[in-house]
Amino acid sequence: MKSKNCNVPEPSTEQVLYYLDKWDNLEDYRIQEEALDELYAGDYSTNKDLKKIIIKCSALNDFYSTNIFKIYPVALRILELDIDERLSKGDPILVNEIATVTISNKTKNFYSFASKYCSRHNKYEFPIYDSYVDKVLRYFRKKDKFASFENDDLKKYLRFKEVILEFRKFYHLEQFNLKDLDKFLWLFGKDYFPKKYW
């Protein structure tokens, strides 16, 4: 895994504060997040109405570019799982259950989407899985050995959350909640581990 430059800084309070400030100044992302916060609140806060779930899934899929081409089966899966109580309790097993959806007799795994959907409902209990976050965690595992995990472990949400918490403890970032860490890890990953499109 090669980073954009060899001088990747160590996670620190200063780094997190820098990236949280950077996030606050990215108007498009900030406004987009506020729009989703409003959508997922009030009449749309529960997951008992298929039409409302479809709207929430569609907005999330569009804003986060999660590449789900058929929303209906995903929304139906969420409805069938009856997730509201488990969301409020922060049940990490829920993410992998939501992620597994059958479309046209094929099993799909919308893991990143599922983590984001749960996070929208309970952002302090459900950290977001994203390819940038994955790269950052793997890089610092290799560099500093902050935790022991296999690459595939990050796709098992219970273990993924444990790794995030180990990361926070190892780098003395306990003052930051999981939503703060989401923003930091994503922006840090974008800066130091950019995707190769060419």
Side-chain angles (χ1 to χ4, degrees):
M1 181 186 306
K2 291 186 178 178
S3 59
K4 187 172 74 173
N5 70 61
C6 58
N7 297 314
V8 178
E10 182 170 299
S12 65
T13 297
E14 293 74 26
Q15 283 292 315
V16 176
L17 290 173
Y18 168 79
Y19 279 102
L20 290 179
D21 183 63
K22 184 174 180 178
W23 175 273
D24 288 339
N25 287 294
L26 293 171
E27 185 178 5
D28 53 343
Y29 289 110
R30 184 173 47 80
I31 297 296
Q32 186 172 287
E33 286 282 307
E34 290 171 4
L36 286 172
D37 283 344
E38 286 188 27
L39 175 62
Y40 277 68
D43 289 344
Y44 287 82
S45 62
T46 63
N47 294 278
K48 305 287 188 190
D49 182 323
L50 183 58
K51 292 176 186 174
K52 290 178 179 177
I53 296 171
I54 287 171
I55 290 169
K56 290 194 291 185
C57 288
S58 296
L60 194 66
N61 186 48
D62 182 63
F63 283 180
Y64 281 118
S65 302
T66 53
N67 299 315
I68 298 175
F69 300 108
K70 195 163 183 159
I71 287 293
Y72 180 80
V74 177
L76 190 60
R77 173 75 173 155
I78 291 168
L79 179 68
E80 291 169 350
L81 285 170
D82 190 22
I83 65 175
D84 290 333
E85 185 177 347
R86 294 173 69 191
L87 279 173
S88 66
K89 290 181 177 177
D91 179 359
I93 304 301
L94 187 56
V95 172
N96 285 103
E97 290 180 16
I98 290 173
T100 307
V101 181
T102 302
I103 300 176
S104 302
N105 296 318
K106 292 183 180 176
T107 301
K108 304 283 187 179
N109 188 346
F110 300 120
Y111 180 64
S112 180
F113 169 86
S115 75
K116 290 164 182 168
Y117 192 86
C118 291
S119 179
R120 294 300 340 159
H121 289 89
N122 189 347
K123 59 189 172 187
Y124 300 119
E125 290 296 328
F126 291 98
I128 290 175
Y129 173 86
D130 180 271
S131 60
Y132 291 119
V133 175
D134 186 295
K135 288 179 182 178
V136 172
L137 294 174
R138 285 200 256 163
Y139 173 83
F140 284 107
R141 171 197 59 192
K142 184 176 181 181
K143 180 180 178 289
D144 294 334
K145 299 178 176 52
F146 77 89
S148 176
F149 59 90
E150 301 296 325
N151 293 345
D152 287 347
D153 289 346
L154 297 180
K155 296 289 183 74
K156 299 165 189 164
Y157 192 79
L158 178 59
R159 183 61 186 132
F160 169 71
K161 183 176 178 180
E162 290 171 351
V163 170
I164 292 283
L165 294 174
E166 289 173 58
F167 177 91
R168 182 169 70 174
K169 183 176 182 181
F170 184 89
Y171 294 105
H172 309 291
L173 302 174
E174 290 92 345
Q175 65 180 293
F176 301 106
N177 61 46
L178 292 178
K179 190 61 186 174
D180 292 334
L181 287 181
D182 281 345
K183 295 173 183 177
F184 163 67
L185 289 167
W186 188 71
L187 286 174
F188 187 92
K190 276 176 71 79
D191 274 358
Y192 290 99
F193 306 97
K195 291 179 181 176
K196 305 285 190 295
Y197 292 106
W198 309 107

